[in-house]
Amino acid sequence: EDYSQLFENEPLFLNVSGNHDIGYSGDATWQHMARYFKLFGKDNFWIEYNRGTPYAYRIVVLNSLLLEGPALQPEFLEYTWEFLYKLFERKFKGSTILLTHVPFYKEEGLCVDGPFIDYYGPDAREDYKVNLLRSQNHLSYDTTQRVLSLIFNDEPGIILTGHDHEGCETFYNKNTTNAKWSASKSKNSDVAIKEVTVRAMMGEYGGNSGIMTGHFNTKRQEWE
């Protein structure tokens, strides 16, 4: 959903849904989602600025908890993917700031958390959750490929995620030959998106927060 006109020239406070808000897809119910919508607003939306100009940019908020399954409510996944395809169809020209909770796929060793996906087994407290998605450290490889291509589509941007409490900085480089994205500690492609996994604000992690600034380079005609 496009919130551009609603927030034009106004300060923003944006909430990003996480697993402690709505649960993983194997947990998320209509009640969880209704509560989140009432207290915090939409879980998927975009806000565009200066569209059609050389200095266009947008903010995209994505509910990454409802991208993969098996899900308790499969229609939630359908809704989230529909949002991504609608976003892709806009063919936005400019830089994107993506805010989402679960980091994208990366091989073991690049960050503190390695790839891990777990499913409810026969010992699940609620038997209707057996075989449903229980938890995940990263999005899967295939989902990562699809989401990065749908959102960035060879345009520049940055990703802000959470979930891995220790924090991390990674680049997703696109191979121009096979159109596949791969994670690395350095930028090594003409099409590369930086992912910053923000370190937890909890006291045991030092009570961190962060500030990101944006500057439009008029000589290079791009956001930095």
Side-chain angles (χ1 to χ4, degrees), residues 111-180:
C111 290
V112 175
D113 284 351
F116 174 78
I117 297 180
D118 189 28
Y119 303 91
Y120 282 105
D123 59 341
R125 186 169 58 182
E126 299 97 346
D127 56 5
Y128 58 85
K129 288 186 178 181
V130 173
N131 297 327
L132 300 183
L133 182 65
R134 182 174 184 174
S135 66
Q136 58 187 141
N137 285 346
H138 299 155
L139 297 177
S140 70
Y141 176 82
D142 289 341
T143 295
T144 291
Q145 297 296 318
R146 291 174 65 190
V147 173
L148 290 177
S149 294
L150 286 169
I151 291 181
F152 293 101
N153 193 27
D154 293 345
E155 295 289 327
I158 189 169
I159 305 166
L160 301 181
T161 65
H163 206 47
D164 183 334
H165 293 170
E166 297 286 351
C168 189
E169 293 190 18
T170 313
F171 286 91
Y172 285 89
N173 297 283
K174 187 175 183 179
N175 185 316
T176 54
T177 301
N178 62 17
K180 296 294 185 182

Side-chain angles (χ1 to χ4, degrees), residues 4-221:
S4 303
Q5 294 181 342
L6 181 62
F7 293 125
E8 190 173 5
N9 300 320
E10 294 292 335
L12 293 177
F13 187 91
L14 304 178
N15 293 289
V16 180
S17 55
N19 51 292
H20 292 290
D21 304 307
I22 62 170
Y24 295 95
S25 71
D27 306 305
T29 64
W30 285 98
Q31 289 86 351
H32 287 130
M33 298 310 300
R35 179 183 64 183
Y36 185 87
F37 279 30
K38 181 178 180 180
L39 295 174
F40 302 116
K42 296 282 288 185
D43 60 334
N44 294 302
F45 60 92
W46 67 78
I47 308 169
E48 296 176 353
Y49 297 92
N50 311 317
R51 184 181 175 92
T53 72
Y55 46 94
Y57 73 98
R58 68 180 177 179
I59 298 171
V60 174
V61 176
L62 173 66
N63 181 355
S64 51
L65 276 303
L66 297 180
L67 286 171
E68 302 188 286
L72 185 60
Q73 302 288 164
E75 60 269 34
F76 291 165
L77 273 61
E78 296 171 8
Y79 163 79
T80 307
W81 283 105
E82 182 180 341
F83 166 80
L84 284 167
Y85 284 112
K86 185 176 180 181
L87 193 70
F88 174 75
E89 290 167 0
R90 292 184 67 78
K91 306 297 183 186
F92 183 79
K93 297 294 182 182
S95 193
T96 295
I97 303 167
L98 172 62
L99 307 177
T100 190
H101 186 69
V102 181
F104 289 91
Y105 178 86
K106 53 188 70 67
E107 294 181 356
E108 186 84 36
L110 281 177
C111 290
V112 175
D113 284 351
F116 174 78
I117 297 180
D118 189 28
Y119 303 91
Y120 282 105
D123 59 341
R125 186 169 58 182
E126 299 97 346
D127 56 5
Y128 58 85
K129 288 186 178 181
V130 173
N131 297 327
L132 300 183
L133 182 65
R134 182 174 184 174
S135 66
Q136 58 187 141
N137 285 346
H138 299 155
L139 297 177
S140 70
Y141 176 82
D142 289 341
T143 295
T144 291
Q145 297 296 318
R146 291 174 65 190
V147 173
L148 290 177
S149 294
L150 286 169
I151 291 181
F152 293 101
N153 193 27
D154 293 345
E155 295 289 327
I158 189 169
I159 305 166
L160 301 181
T161 65
H163 206 47
D164 183 334
H165 293 170
E166 297 286 351
C168 189
E169 293 190 18
T170 313
F171 286 91
Y172 285 89
N173 297 283
K174 187 175 183 179
N175 185 316
T176 54
T177 301
N178 62 17
K180 296 294 185 182
W181 300 85
S182 60
S184 170
K185 281 298 184 183
S186 60
K187 180 179 178 180
N188 52 40
S189 171
D190 291 337
V191 181
I193 306 296
K194 185 175 184 178
E195 178 195 65
V196 179
T197 302
V198 181
R199 186 175 169 86
M201 290 188 71
M202 293 183 289
E204 63 186 292
Y205 294 93
N208 299 268
S209 61
I211 296 175
M212 187 191 78
T213 60
H215 169 73
F216 187 73
N217 187 321
T218 54
K219 291 183 179 180
R220 298 180 62 180
Q221 288 291 289

